[in-house]
Amino acid sequence: MRVDLSQFQWKNRLLLLFVPDASAQEYIDQWDALHQRWAAIVERDLLVISVFEEDGGDLDGEEISEDEADTLRQRFRIKPGWAATVLVGKDGTQKQSYPMPAKLDQVFALIDSMPMRQREQREDED
């Protein structure tokens, strides 16, 4: 799959999980936390993208090539061996980077403070 993050602009927020590989404990812990809060993730229009150093990655069940994973690592300045969670807003810009596993309350609080998210919440109330 070709990863062009611009395809998600104005539709989804992105949570990129950068780890050496899928067996990293930080990655397992992050996914455990994500699964426990999945309704909140869906509510905030978040897509989760896994980016590995060796095996490419995964975006919504579609495989990401190693070249694409390398491109993402370079774009977000993730060094080899790092485990990091990166939040990208609907405008396509990086909002925050967190050591993995990120505390989802912090991620959600940041999203909920964004003007676009506040507008979405008001529209949902109507």
Side-chain angles (χ1 to χ4, degrees), residues 26-42:
E26 301 96 326
Y27 180 71
I28 293 166
D29 292 345
Q30 187 71 80
W31 268 110
D32 286 346
L34 289 167
H35 284 298
Q36 291 173 19
R37 307 285 299 274
W38 200 254
I41 290 165
V42 171

Side-chain angles (χ1 to χ4, degrees), residues 19-122:
V19 288
D21 60 61
S23 66
Q25 189 60 50
E26 301 96 326
Y27 180 71
I28 293 166
D29 292 345
Q30 187 71 80
W31 268 110
D32 286 346
L34 289 167
H35 284 298
Q36 291 173 19
R37 307 285 299 274
W38 200 254
I41 290 165
V42 171
E43 177 184 323
R44 288 167 177 83
D45 297 327
L46 265 174
L47 283 181
V48 181
I49 303 173
S50 298
V51 184
F52 308 122
E53 284 181 29
E54 299 284 322
D55 299 322
D58 177 89
L59 166 59
D60 207 24
E62 296 289 326
E63 192 173 306
I64 297 172
S65 73
E66 285 188 42
D67 287 343
E68 288 294 320
D70 287 342
T71 299
L72 290 171
R73 293 182 84 75
Q74 290 170 14
R75 175 177 172 180
F76 294 103
R77 297 184 182 103
I78 306 297
K79 294 181 181 177
W82 279 14
T85 302
V86 174
L87 174 64
V88 174
K90 283 189 174 181
D91 63 357
T93 64
Q94 179 176 337
K95 301 300 180 185
Q96 188 64 269
S97 178
Y98 307 89
M100 190 181 293
K103 292 178 175 57
L104 294 182
D105 286 339
Q106 290 178 349
V107 175
F108 295 155
L110 177 58
I111 291 171
D112 292 346
S113 73
M114 295 175 185
M116 185 176 293
R117 172 67 180 145
Q118 291 173 357
R119 187 170 47 251
E120 291 167 357
Q121 289 177 302
R122 283 192 303 273

